[in-house]
Coordinates of all heavy atoms in Angstrom, one line a residue:
M1 N 0.8 -1.2 0.0 CA 0.0 0.0 0.0 C 0.9 1.2 0.0 O 1.8 1.3 0.8 CB -0.9 0.0 1.2 CG -1.7 1.3 1.4 SD -2.9 1.2 2.7 CE -1.8 1.3 4.2
R2 N 0.6 2.2 -0.9 CA 1.4 3.4 -0.9 C 0.5 4.5 -0.2 O -0.7 4.6 -0.4 CB 1.6 3.8 -2.4 CG 2.3 5.1 -2.6 CD 2.7 5.4 -4.0 NE 1.5 5.3 -4.9 CZ 1.6 5.0 -6.2 NH1 2.7 4.7 -6.7 NH2 0.5 5.0 -6.9
E3 N 1.2 5.3 0.6 CA 0.5 6.4 1.3 C 1.4 7.6 1.3 O 2.6 7.6 1.2 CB 0.1 6.0 2.7 CG 1.3 5.7 3.6 CD 0.8 5.2 5.0 OE1 -0.2 4.5 5.1 OE2 1.5 5.6 6.0
C4 N 0.7 8.8 1.5 CA 1.3 10.1 1.5 C 2.2 10.1 2.8 O 1.8 9.8 3.9 CB 0.3 11.2 1.5 SG 1.0 12.8 1.7
F5 N 3.5 10.6 2.6 CA 4.4 10.7 3.7 C 4.0 11.8 4.7 O 4.3 11.7 5.8 CB 5.8 11.1 3.1 CG 6.9 11.1 4.1 CD1 7.4 9.9 4.6 CD2 7.4 12.3 4.6 CE1 8.4 9.9 5.6 CE2 8.4 12.3 5.5 CZ 8.9 11.1 6.0
N6 N 3.2 12.7 4.2 CA 2.8 13.8 5.1 C 1.5 13.5 5.8 O 1.4 13.7 7.0 CB 2.6 15.1 4.2 CG 2.4 16.3 5.1 OD1 3.1 16.7 6.0 ND2 1.3 17.0 4.8
C7 N 0.4 13.1 5.1 CA -0.9 13.0 5.7 C -1.3 11.5 5.9 O -2.4 11.3 6.4 CB -1.9 13.8 4.9 SG -2.3 13.1 3.3
Q8 N -0.5 10.6 5.4 CA -0.8 9.2 5.5 C -2.0 8.7 4.8 O -2.6 7.7 5.0 CB -0.8 8.7 7.0 CG 0.5 8.6 7.6 CD 1.1 10.0 8.0 OE1 0.4 10.8 8.5 NE2 2.4 10.2 7.7
T9 N -2.5 9.5 3.8 CA -3.7 9.1 3.0 C -3.2 8.0 2.0 O -2.1 8.1 1.4 CB -4.2 10.3 2.1 OG1 -4.6 11.3 3.1 CG2 -5.3 9.9 1.2
E10 N -4.0 7.0 1.8 CA -3.7 5.9 0.9 C -3.8 6.4 -0.5 O -4.7 7.1 -0.9 CB -4.6 4.7 1.1 CG -4.3 3.5 0.2 CD -5.2 2.3 0.5 OE1 -5.9 2.3 1.5 OE2 -5.2 1.5 -0.4
L11 N -2.8 6.0 -1.3 CA -2.7 6.4 -2.7 C -2.8 5.1 -3.6 O -1.9 4.4 -3.7 CB -1.4 7.2 -3.1 CG -1.2 8.4 -2.3 CD1 0.2 9.0 -2.5 CD2 -2.2 9.5 -2.6
P12 N -4.0 4.9 -4.1 CA -4.2 3.7 -5.0 C -3.3 3.7 -6.2 O -2.8 4.8 -6.6 CB -5.7 3.7 -5.3 CG -6.3 4.7 -4.5 CD -5.2 5.7 -4.0
P13 N -3.2 2.6 -6.9 CA -2.4 2.5 -8.1 C -3.0 3.5 -9.1 O -4.2 3.8 -9.1 CB -2.6 1.1 -8.6 CG -2.9 0.3 -7.4 CD -3.7 1.2 -6.5
E14 N -2.1 4.0 -10.0 CA -2.5 5.0 -11.1 C -3.1 6.3 -10.5 O -4.0 6.8 -11.1 CB -3.4 4.3 -12.1 CG -2.7 3.1 -12.8 CD -3.6 2.4 -13.8 OE1 -4.6 3.0 -14.2 OE2 -3.3 1.3 -14.2
T15 N -2.7 6.7 -9.4 CA -3.1 7.9 -8.7 C -2.0 9.0 -8.9 O -0.8 8.7 -8.7 CB -3.4 7.7 -7.2 OG1 -4.4 6.7 -7.1 CG2 -3.8 9.0 -6.6
K16 N -2.4 10.2 -9.3 CA -1.4 11.2 -9.5 C -0.8 11.6 -8.1 O -1.5 11.7 -7.1 CB -2.1 12.5 -10.0 CG -1.1 13.6 -10.4 CD -1.8 14.8 -10.9 CE -2.4 14.7 -12.3 NZ -2.9 15.9 -12.8
H17 N 0.5 11.7 -8.0 CA 1.2 12.0 -6.8 C 2.6 12.5 -7.1 O 3.0 12.6 -8.2 CB 1.3 10.7 -5.9 CG 2.2 9.6 -6.5 ND1 1.7 8.8 -7.5 CD2 3.5 9.3 -6.3 CE1 2.7 7.9 -7.8 NE2 3.8 8.3 -7.2
Y18 N 3.3 13.0 -6.0 CA 4.6 13.6 -6.2 C 5.6 12.6 -5.5 O 5.3 12.0 -4.4 CB 4.7 14.9 -5.5 CG 3.9 16.0 -6.2 CD1 2.7 16.3 -5.9 CD2 4.5 16.7 -7.3 CE1 1.9 17.3 -6.5 CE2 3.8 17.7 -8.0 CZ 2.5 17.9 -7.6 OH 1.8 18.9 -8.2
D19 N 6.8 12.5 -6.0 CA 7.9 11.8 -5.4 C 9.0 12.8 -5.2 O 9.6 13.3 -6.1 CB 8.4 10.7 -6.4 CG 9.4 9.8 -5.8 OD1 10.2 10.2 -4.8 OD2 9.5 8.6 -6.2
I20 N 9.2 13.1 -3.9 CA 10.2 14.2 -3.5 C 11.2 13.5 -2.5 O 10.8 13.0 -1.5 CB 9.5 15.3 -2.8 CG1 8.4 15.9 -3.7 CG2 10.5 16.4 -2.4 CD1 7.5 17.0 -3.1
N21 N 12.4 13.5 -2.9 CA 13.5 12.9 -2.1 C 13.2 11.5 -1.7 O 13.3 11.1 -0.6 CB 13.8 13.7 -0.9 CG 14.4 15.1 -1.3 OD1 15.0 15.3 -2.3 ND2 14.0 16.1 -0.5
D22 N 12.6 10.7 -2.7 CA 12.3 9.3 -2.5 C 11.1 9.1 -1.5 O 10.9 8.0 -0.9 CB 13.5 8.4 -2.1 CG 14.5 8.4 -3.1 OD1 14.1 8.4 -4.3 OD2 15.7 8.4 -2.8
E23 N 10.4 10.1 -1.2 CA 9.2 10.1 -0.4 C 8.0 10.4 -1.2 O 8.1 11.3 -2.1 CB 9.2 11.0 0.8 CG 10.4 10.8 1.8 CD 10.3 9.5 2.5 OE1 9.3 8.8 2.6 OE2 11.4 9.1 3.1
V24 N 6.8 9.8 -1.0 CA 5.6 9.9 -1.8 C 4.7 10.9 -1.1 O 4.5 10.8 0.1 CB 4.9 8.6 -2.0 CG1 3.6 8.8 -2.8 CG2 5.8 7.6 -2.8
Y25 N 4.2 11.9 -1.9 CA 3.2 12.9 -1.3 C 2.0 13.0 -2.2 O 2.1 12.9 -3.5 CB 3.9 14.3 -1.3 CG 5.0 14.3 -0.3 CD1 6.3 14.0 -0.7 CD2 4.8 14.7 1.0 CE1 7.4 14.1 0.2 CE2 5.9 14.8 1.9 CZ 7.1 14.5 1.5 OH 8.2 14.5 2.4
C26 N 0.8 13.2 -1.7 CA -0.4 13.3 -2.5 C -0.4 14.7 -3.0 O 0.3 15.6 -2.5 CB -1.6 13.0 -1.6 SG -2.0 14.2 -0.3
T27 N -1.3 15.0 -4.0 CA -1.4 16.3 -4.6 C -2.0 17.3 -3.7 O -1.9 18.5 -3.9 CB -2.2 16.2 -5.9 OG1 -3.5 15.6 -5.6 CG2 -1.5 15.4 -7.0
D28 N -2.7 16.9 -2.6 CA -3.3 17.8 -1.7 C -2.3 18.4 -0.7 O -2.5 19.5 -0.2 CB -4.4 17.1 -0.8 CG -5.6 16.7 -1.6 OD1 -5.9 17.4 -2.7 OD2 -6.3 15.8 -1.3
C29 N -1.2 17.7 -0.5 CA -0.2 18.1 0.4 C 0.9 19.0 -0.2 O 1.6 19.7 0.5 CB 0.5 17.0 1.1 SG -0.6 16.1 2.3
V30 N 1.0 19.0 -1.5 CA 2.1 19.7 -2.2 C 1.5 20.9 -3.0 O 0.6 20.7 -3.8 CB 2.8 18.8 -3.2 CG1 3.9 19.5 -4.0 CG2 3.5 17.6 -2.5
A31 N 2.0 22.1 -2.7 CA 1.6 23.3 -3.4 C 2.6 23.5 -4.6 O 3.7 23.7 -4.4 CB 1.6 24.5 -2.5
A32 N 2.1 23.3 -5.8 CA 2.9 23.5 -7.0 C 2.6 24.8 -7.6 O 1.5 25.0 -8.0 CB 2.7 22.3 -8.0
E33 N 3.6 25.7 -7.8 CA 3.4 27.0 -8.4 C 4.3 27.1 -9.6 O 5.5 26.9 -9.5 CB 3.8 28.1 -7.4 CG 2.9 28.1 -6.1 CD 3.2 29.1 -5.1 OE1 4.0 30.0 -5.5 OE2 2.7 29.1 -4.0
P34 N 3.7 27.5 -10.7 CA 4.5 27.6 -12.0 C 5.4 28.8 -11.9 O 5.1 29.8 -11.2 CB 3.4 27.7 -13.1 CG 2.2 28.3 -12.4 CD 2.3 27.7 -11.0
Y35 N 6.5 28.7 -12.6 CA 7.4 29.9 -12.7 C 8.1 29.8 -14.1 O 8.1 28.8 -14.7 CB 8.4 30.0 -11.6 CG 9.5 28.9 -11.7 CD1 10.8 29.3 -12.3 CD2 9.4 27.6 -11.3 CE1 11.8 28.4 -12.4 CE2 10.4 26.7 -11.5 CZ 11.6 27.1 -12.0 OH 12.6 26.2 -12.1
T36 N 8.6 30.9 -14.5 CA 9.3 31.0 -15.8 C 10.8 31.2 -15.6 O 11.2 31.9 -14.7 CB 8.8 32.2 -16.6 OG1 7.4 32.1 -16.8 CG2 9.4 32.3 -18.0
S37 N 11.6 30.4 -16.3 CA 13.0 30.6 -16.3 C 13.5 30.7 -17.7 O 12.8 30.3 -18.7 CB 13.7 29.4 -15.6 OG 13.5 28.2 -16.3
Y38 N 14.7 31.3 -17.9 CA 15.2 31.5 -19.2 C 16.6 30.9 -19.3 O 17.3 30.8 -18.3 CB 15.3 33.0 -19.5 CG 14.0 33.7 -19.5 CD1 13.5 34.3 -18.3 CD2 13.3 33.8 -20.7 CE1 12.2 34.9 -18.4 CE2 12.0 34.4 -20.7 CZ 11.5 35.0 -19.5 OH 10.3 35.6 -19.5
S39 N 16.9 30.5 -20.5 CA 18.3 30.0 -20.9 C 18.9 31.1 -21.8 O 18.2 31.6 -22.7 CB 18.3 28.7 -21.6 OG 17.8 27.7 -20.8
Y40 N 20.2 31.5 -21.5 CA 20.8 32.5 -22.3 C 21.9 31.9 -23.1 O 22.7 31.1 -22.7 CB 21.4 33.6 -21.3 CG 20.3 34.2 -20.4 CD1 20.3 33.9 -19.1 CD2 19.4 35.0 -21.0 CE1 19.3 34.4 -18.3 CE2 18.4 35.6 -20.2 CZ 18.4 35.3 -18.8 OH 17.4 35.8 -18.0
Y41 N 22.0 32.4 -24.4 CA 23.0 31.9 -25.4 C 23.6 33.1 -26.0 O 23.0 34.1 -26.3 CB 22.3 31.1 -26.5 CG 21.6 29.8 -25.9 CD1 20.3 29.9 -25.5 CD2 22.3 28.6 -25.9 CE1 19.7 28.7 -25.0 CE2 21.7 27.5 -25.4 CZ 20.4 27.6 -25.0 OH 19.8 26.4 -24.5
I42 N 24.9 33.0 -26.3 CA 25.6 34.0 -27.1 C 26.2 33.2 -28.3 O 27.0 32.3 -28.1 CB 26.7 34.7 -26.3 CG1 26.1 35.5 -25.1 CG2 27.6 35.6 -27.2 CD1 27.1 36.1 -24.2
D43 N 25.8 33.6 -29.5 CA 26.3 33.0 -30.7 C 26.0 31.4 -30.6 O 26.8 30.6 -31.0 CB 27.7 33.2 -31.0 CG 28.0 34.7 -31.3 OD1 27.1 35.3 -31.9 OD2 29.1 35.1 -31.1
G44 N 24.9 31.1 -30.1 CA 24.4 29.7 -30.0 C 25.1 28.9 -28.9 O 24.7 27.7 -28.6
E45 N 26.0 29.5 -28.1 CA 26.6 28.8 -27.0 C 25.9 29.2 -25.7 O 25.8 30.4 -25.4 CB 28.1 29.2 -26.9 CG 28.8 28.4 -25.8 CD 30.3 28.7 -25.8 OE1 30.9 29.1 -26.8 OE2 30.9 28.6 -24.7
Y46 N 25.5 28.2 -24.9 CA 24.9 28.4 -23.6 C 25.8 29.1 -22.7 O 26.9 28.7 -22.5 CB 24.4 27.0 -23.0 CG 23.8 27.2 -21.7 CD1 22.4 27.6 -21.6 CD2 24.5 26.8 -20.5 CE1 21.8 27.7 -20.3 CE2 23.8 26.9 -19.3 CZ 22.5 27.3 -19.2 OH 21.9 27.4 -18.0
V47 N 25.3 30.2 -22.0 CA 26.2 30.9 -21.1 C 25.6 31.0 -19.7 O 26.2 31.4 -18.7 CB 26.4 32.4 -21.6 CG1 27.3 32.4 -22.8 CG2 25.1 33.1 -21.8
G48 N 24.3 30.5 -19.5 CA 23.7 30.5 -18.2 C 22.2 30.5 -18.3 O 21.6 30.6 -19.4
G49 N 21.6 30.5 -17.1 CA 20.2 30.6 -17.1 C 19.7 31.5 -16.0 O 20.5 32.0 -15.1
S50 N 18.4 31.8 -16.0 CA 17.9 32.8 -15.0 C 17.9 32.2 -13.6 O 17.8 32.9 -12.6 CB 16.5 33.2 -15.4 OG 15.6 32.1 -15.5
D51 N 18.1 30.9 -13.5 CA 18.2 30.2 -12.2 C 19.6 30.3 -11.6 O 19.9 29.9 -10.5 CB 17.7 28.8 -12.2 CG 16.2 28.7 -12.5 OD1 15.5 29.7 -12.2 OD2 15.7 27.7 -13.1
D52 N 20.6 30.6 -12.5 CA 22.0 30.7 -12.1 C 22.3 32.1 -11.5 O 21.6 33.0 -11.7 CB 22.9 30.5 -13.3 CG 22.7 29.2 -14.0 OD1 22.2 28.3 -13.4 OD2 23.0 29.1 -15.2
D53 N 23.4 32.1 -10.7 CA 23.8 33.4 -10.1 C 24.7 34.2 -11.0 O 25.0 35.3 -10.7 CB 24.5 33.1 -8.8 CG 23.5 32.7 -7.7 OD1 22.3 33.0 -7.8 OD2 24.0 32.0 -6.7
N54 N 25.2 33.6 -12.1 CA 26.2 34.3 -12.9 C 25.6 35.1 -14.1 O 26.3 35.8 -14.8 CB 27.2 33.3 -13.5 CG 26.5 32.3 -14.4 OD1 25.4 32.0 -14.2 ND2 27.3 31.7 -15.4
V55 N 24.2 35.1 -14.2 CA 23.6 35.9 -15.3 C 22.4 36.7 -14.6 O 21.6 36.1 -13.9 CB 23.0 35.0 -16.4 CG1 22.3 35.9 -17.4 CG2 24.2 34.2 -17.1
R56 N 22.3 38.0 -14.9 CA 21.2 38.7 -14.4 C 20.9 39.9 -15.4 O 21.8 40.4 -16.0 CB 21.3 39.2 -13.0 CG 22.3 40.4 -12.8 CD 22.4 40.8 -11.4 NE 23.4 41.9 -11.2 CZ 23.1 43.1 -11.2 NH1 21.8 43.5 -11.3 NH2 24.0 44.1 -11.1
L57 N 19.6 40.1 -15.6 CA 19.2 41.3 -16.5 C 19.2 42.5 -15.6 O 18.6 42.5 -14.5 CB 17.8 41.0 -17.0 CG 17.2 42.1 -17.8 CD1 18.0 42.4 -19.1 CD2 15.8 41.8 -18.2
V58 N 19.9 43.5 -16.0 CA 20.0 44.8 -15.3 C 19.0 45.7 -16.0 O 19.1 46.1 -17.1 CB 21.4 45.4 -15.3 CG1 21.4 46.7 -14.6 CG2 22.4 44.5 -14.7
E59 N 17.9 46.1 -15.2 CA 16.9 47.0 -15.7 C 17.5 48.4 -15.7 O 18.4 48.7 -14.9 CB 15.7 47.0 -14.9 CG 15.0 45.7 -14.9 CD 14.2 45.4 -16.2 OE1 14.1 46.3 -17.0 OE2 13.8 44.2 -16.4
S60 N 17.0 49.3 -16.5 CA 17.6 50.7 -16.6 C 17.6 51.4 -15.3 O 18.5 52.1 -15.0 CB 16.8 51.5 -17.7 OG 15.5 51.6 -17.3
F61 N 16.6 51.2 -14.5 CA 16.5 51.9 -13.2 C 17.4 51.3 -12.1 O 17.6 51.9 -11.1 CB 15.0 52.0 -12.7 CG 14.4 50.6 -12.6 CD1 14.5 49.8 -11.5 CD2 13.5 50.2 -13.6 CE1 13.9 48.6 -11.4 CE2 12.9 49.0 -13.6 CZ 13.1 48.2 -12.5
D62 N 18.0 50.1 -12.4 CA 18.9 49.4 -11.5 C 20.4 49.7 -11.9 O 21.3 49.2 -11.2 CB 18.7 47.9 -11.5 CG 17.4 47.6 -10.8 OD1 16.9 48.3 -9.9 OD2 16.8 46.5 -11.1
D63 N 20.6 50.3 -13.0 CA 21.9 50.5 -13.6 C 22.7 51.5 -12.8 O 22.3 52.6 -12.7 CB 21.8 50.9 -15.1 CG 23.1 50.7 -15.8 OD1 24.1 50.2 -15.2 OD2 23.2 51.1 -17.0
E64 N 23.8 51.0 -12.2 CA 24.7 51.9 -11.4 C 25.9 52.3 -12.2 O 27.1 52.2 -11.8 CB 25.1 51.2 -10.2 CG 23.9 50.9 -9.3 CD 24.3 50.1 -8.0 OE1 25.5 50.0 -7.7 OE2 23.4 49.6 -7.3
Y65 N 25.7 52.7 -13.5 CA 26.8 53.1 -14.4 C 27.5 54.4 -13.9 O 26.8 55.4 -13.6 CB 26.2 53.3 -15.8 CG 27.2 53.6 -16.8 CD1 28.1 52.7 -17.4 CD2 27.3 54.9 -17.3 CE1 29.0 53.0 -18.3 CE2 28.3 55.3 -18.3 CZ 29.1 54.3 -18.8 OH 30.0 54.6 -19.7
E66 N 28.8 54.3 -13.8 CA 29.5 55.6 -13.5 C 30.4 56.0 -14.6 O 31.1 55.2 -15.2 CB 30.4 55.3 -12.3 CG 29.7 54.9 -11.0 CD 30.6 54.7 -9.8 OE1 31.7 55.1 -9.9 OE2 30.1 54.1 -8.9
V67 N 30.3 57.3 -15.0 CA 31.1 57.8 -16.1 C 32.5 58.1 -15.6 O 32.7 58.8 -14.6 CB 30.4 59.1 -16.6 CG1 31.3 59.7 -17.7 CG2 29.0 58.9 -17.0
G68 N 33.4 57.5 -16.3 CA 34.8 57.7 -15.9 C 35.5 58.7 -16.7 O 35.0 59.2 -17.7
E69 N 36.7 59.2 -16.3 CA 37.4 60.2 -17.1 C 38.2 59.5 -18.2 O 38.8 58.5 -18.0 CB 38.4 60.9 -16.2 CG 37.7 61.7 -15.1 CD 38.7 62.5 -14.2 OE1 39.8 62.7 -14.7 OE2 38.3 62.8 -13.1
D70 N 38.1 60.1 -19.4 CA 38.9 59.6 -20.5 C 40.3 60.1 -20.4 O 40.5 61.3 -20.2 CB 38.3 60.0 -21.9 CG 37.0 59.3 -22.1 OD1 36.8 58.2 -21.5 OD2 36.2 59.8 -22.9
I71 N 41.3 59.3 -20.6 CA 42.7 59.7 -20.5 C 43.3 59.8 -21.8 O 43.1 59.1 -22.7 CB 43.5 58.8 -19.6 CG1 43.0 58.8 -18.2 CG2 45.0 59.2 -19.6 CD1 43.7 57.9 -17.2

């Protein structure tokens, strides 16, 4: 018998469920929220994704550009 690790509800065969870290959870116990992520490429080569810490889009109001002196 398969049961939810959280609420111990029995999950019959062919029942939609989640497997998280090798534990089974029913759909009532798991809150699934959609999100959008992006993959970034330069000349066809993958350089990172929006879930990575090495790529971020800088909006114009967040830009801390400082004008330097030309020598």
Side-chain angles (χ1 to χ4, degrees):
M1 173 175 72
R2 178 172 55 206
E3 63 181 37
C4 176
F5 186 75
N6 187 57
C7 70
Q8 286 73 44
T9 300
E10 183 178 343
L11 300 171
E14 300 180 15
T15 301
K16 189 185 285 188
H17 63 279
Y18 292 94
D19 186 332
I20 303 171
N21 297 327
D22 296 324
E23 301 291 348
V24 176
Y25 295 87
C26 68
T27 56
D28 292 334
C29 288
V30 177
E33 298 181 9
Y35 75 99
T36 301
S37 65
Y38 297 92
S39 296
Y40 302 108
Y41 298 87
I42 298 175
D43 293 330
E45 182 177 336
Y46 177 79
V47 294
S50 57
D51 295 333
D52 301 334
D53 289 335
N54 62 332
V55 178
R56 71 182 179 95
L57 174 64
V58 179
E59 298 286 348
S60 61
F61 53 85
D62 291 333
D63 195 5
E64 296 178 12
Y65 181 78
E66 294 181 20
V67 178
E69 293 181 24
D70 291 337
I71 297 177

